[in-house]
Amino acid sequence: MAGFGSTQTLIGLDALASALFLLVSLAIVATRQMLATLRLFVIESLLLAVSATAIGIGTHSIHLLIVAGIVVVTKVIAVPWVLKFTVGGEIYGRREIDQALTIPTSLVLSAGLIFFGFFVSERLFFMVSAPEFTLLNLPVGIACLLLGMFTVTVRREAIAQLVGLLVMENAVFFAGAAIASHLPTLAEIAAAVDLPIMTLVFGLLIRQIHRKLGTTRVGELSALGER
Amino acid sequence: MARSLFFNLIQVAVVLFLSPLLEGILARLEEMVQSKHGPSIFQVYRDIWKFLQKDEIVSSHSSWVFRAAPYFAFVMPVFVTLLIPVLTDYPLFFAFMGDMLAVGFLFALSGALITFAAVDTTNPYGSIGASRSRMVSFLAEPVFMMVFFTVSFVAGSTIPYIVQKSWAFSSQIFWGPSHILVVIAFLMLFLADENRIPVDNPHGNFELAMIGKSKYLEYSGRGAALIKWGGAMKFMVLCIVFCNVLVTPWGLATGKTLGGVLLAIPLIFAKLLLFLLLLVAIESNLSKLRLFRIDEFLGASFVVCVMAMVASLMGI
């Protein structure tokens, strides 16, 4: 059995993180509860941090360890806090989310999307910096990017759409961590500041929608009105 | 040869006599989580003994199907035990008699007969339970097939003894997406097939809400004992398939000595207890799904399994 810091163990850890990352992204598509989507997003961010740490140790890249730290601070702590601050009542109200398609239909469609994502990513394997990690992270990242996009498309609820966007962001990081393990610190800091601000802007927007209309079901907003 | 046959019979004896204990421990643990004292862990043995002492009453409207079903429910898990790795990690005497598909067929046969028997009594609750459990099982069927496909793709075989060895090749295979996702899909399938909590409440006594239990309402005496014992064995066999074949081959006897095989009994039982803790955690945290949301639960497990298969085909 290999030791703790060895490449085999790190690949195993990364493989586990990517399997669960895929599973959690699928669960975000399938779940009906508002609070559950937010919790699943937090779990997904933790898995992203685990994967970034494993690749960071495996490829001796201090940058990825910084990324892992930033992910924990921004996505696990800051984003839920900001959302609670702006639209707390909507999220913690234990509501179910409307969606345009039924859950079995969207599950089947997301299976197709995952297949497509895996297939597309095979063509991208030439930009490899750490082959054994890329083989795991790139397909899973691209599949989850599509799943996040799908969530944004089918949900009729502003907060769930925001979570879909955050999932897409997570997925890009997940794939990117394996392709470009030595990204400049500037990009990391930009990402770190960007995300809570994006969440804040969205949260305030959602709060404004809620104040004007009494609901956040943006799927029902199909006609323009004038006052 | 004779030794291999003898070990195979030890496996059957282990499943036969330890399965009520496993179910008793699960019931006790769940009661303890709910801050209750709970029945003794040997309660299932006492129930079986009590039922065996009692007279059997059979409806005059029922046919031979009703009388035959308990024997099938009792015998099928025993047959399956001959095929799967319970204690040893090398194939035993009957290992090549059937593969994982045969395991599925045997359980499907006993399940179908019990369904017929439930309808046979003309008890309305029996028919309700039978049709509901058929609904669950036809939704579970595609997942079963996908699990078999995925497993046989990864292992290149459908013989359980060969499958369980293929996971431990490297940590990338063991922790890889295809293995983890197959395990999770099978866990969801297990919950549906054993009528555990997100799908059905095994402790409920309200006939209109029952799925699995209402098929056995008409049985008494020896029939009830056989069905209860058979159910406990099926539960243990599925736990063993999950723990030994799909998750890890750890703790199985590798040597061909009698001592090694006997030592494997407590190791395997400890592994099953860990699995029971997982089950208790799942059952205590989730609530029962509405009947028409079961398709979402099993649909999710189907998609998870498809992902596992695609991942293994793409070599991820």
Side-chain angles (χ1 to χ4, degrees), chain A residues 135-150:
Chain A
L135 219 62
L136 287 163
N137 280 43
L138 190 61
V140 171
I142 289 180
C144 293
L145 180 69
L146 294 171
L147 284 183
M149 192 186 72
F150 184 67

Side-chain angles (χ1 to χ4, degrees), chain A residues 8 12 15-16 32 114 118, chain B residues 171 175 180 184 293 296 307 310:
Chain A
Q8 274 297 309
L16 179 65
R32 284 172 189 273
I114 291 164
F118 283 177
Chain B
S171 66
W175 296 110
I180 300 291
I184 287 168
R293 289 202 176 162
E296 289 171 14
M307 290 196 312
V310 173

Side-chain angles (χ1 to χ4, degrees), chain A residues 8 11-12 15-16 18-20 22-23 26 32 96 103-104 107-108 111 114-115 118-119 122 132 135-136 139, chain B residues 170-172 175-178 180-181 184 250 293 295-296 299-304 306-307 310-311 314-316:
Chain A
Q8 274 297 309
I11 292 174
L16 179 65
S18 44
L20 294 177
L22 191 58
L23 196 75
L26 189 74
R32 284 172 189 273
E96 293 205 338
I103 297 221
L107 278 172
V108 171
I114 291 164
F115 186 74
F118 283 177
F119 195 73
E122 283 221 316
E132 58 280 352
L135 219 62
L136 287 163
Chain B
S170 76
S171 66
Q172 190 169 357
W175 296 110
S178 52
I180 300 291
L181 295 175
I184 287 168
W250 299 332
R293 289 202 176 162
D295 59 338
E296 289 171 14
S301 81
F302 177 70
V303 171
V304 169
V306 169
M307 290 196 312
V310 173
M314 294 270 187
I316 293 165

Side-chain angles (χ1 to χ4, degrees), chain B residues 35-269:
Chain B
S35 309
K36 292 189 257 180
H37 187 257
S40 154
I41 56 173
F42 301 108
Q43 186 60 40
V44 183
Y45 290 105
R46 290 182 198 146
D47 283 347
I48 291 171
W49 181 246
K50 181 183 76 182
F51 284 136
L52 281 175
Q53 304 294 310
K54 295 203 170 191
D55 269 349
E56 192 170 6
I57 297 170
V58 178
S59 157
S60 57
H61 296 288
S62 64
S63 65
W64 61 270
V65 176
F66 182 76
R67 265 150 278 172
Y71 296 98
F72 277 87
F74 182 77
V75 167
M76 288 308 167
V78 175
F79 278 153
V80 172
T81 311
L82 295 173
L83 306 177
I84 59 169
V86 179
L87 299 173
T88 60
D89 79 336
Y90 49 88
L92 291 177
F93 190 71
F94 291 107
F96 294 99
M97 196 169 68
D99 56 6
M100 287 177 81
L101 286 175
V103 173
F105 283 142
L106 289 172
F107 280 138
L109 182 61
S110 70
L113 259 167
I114 288 171
T115 311
F116 289 145
V119 180
D120 192 39
T121 57
T122 66
N123 175 350
Y125 295 123
S127 309
I128 292 175
S131 66
R132 280 180 187 164
S133 61
R134 281 302 95 185
M135 188 193 98
V136 173
S137 61
F138 92 72
L139 290 168
E141 209 64 38
V143 191
F144 244 125
M145 287 177 201
M146 290 307 289
V147 168
F148 287 142
F149 279 141
T150 314
V151 161
S152 46
F153 264 122
V154 175
S157 169
T158 50
I159 301 285
Y161 284 96
I162 299 172
V163 169
Q164 51 117 349
K165 281 189 178 161
S166 63
W167 305 118
F169 276 145
S170 76
S171 66
Q172 190 169 357
I173 294 178
F174 185 80
W175 296 110
S178 52
H179 184 207
I180 300 291
L181 295 175
V182 154
V183 164
I184 287 168
F186 191 83
L187 180 64
M188 292 168 88
L189 193 66
F190 175 87
L191 293 173
D193 201 58
E194 276 298 309
N195 303 309
R196 307 308 302 188
I197 265 230
V199 175
D200 182 15
N201 183 1
H203 310 297
N205 284 316
F206 178 49
E207 287 92 341
L208 283 174
M210 286 177 181
I211 295 181
K213 224 172 151 189
S214 58
K215 288 183 286 184
Y216 315 126
L217 285 176
E218 288 288 304
Y219 281 104
S220 57
R222 195 171 53 197
L226 288 180
I227 281 207
K228 196 167 182 66
W229 201 347
M233 280 199 289
K234 190 184 169 205
F235 177 76
M236 184 163 174
V237 163
L238 284 179
C239 287
I240 287 171
V241 168
F242 182 80
C243 292
N244 285 0
V245 180
L246 284 170
V247 181
T248 61
W250 299 332
L252 291 167
T254 49
K256 305 213 171 194
T257 57
L258 181 63
V261 174
L262 290 180
L263 182 69
I265 297 175
L267 287 176
I268 296 304
F269 205 74

Side-chain angles (χ1 to χ4, degrees), chain A residues 138-163:
Chain A
L138 190 61
V140 171
I142 289 180
C144 293
L145 180 69
L146 294 171
L147 284 183
M149 192 186 72
F150 184 67
T151 313
V152 177
T153 318
V154 294
R155 296 288 196 193
R156 284 198 184 124
E157 169 64 59
I159 297 165
Q161 289 180 350
L162 173 60
V163 172

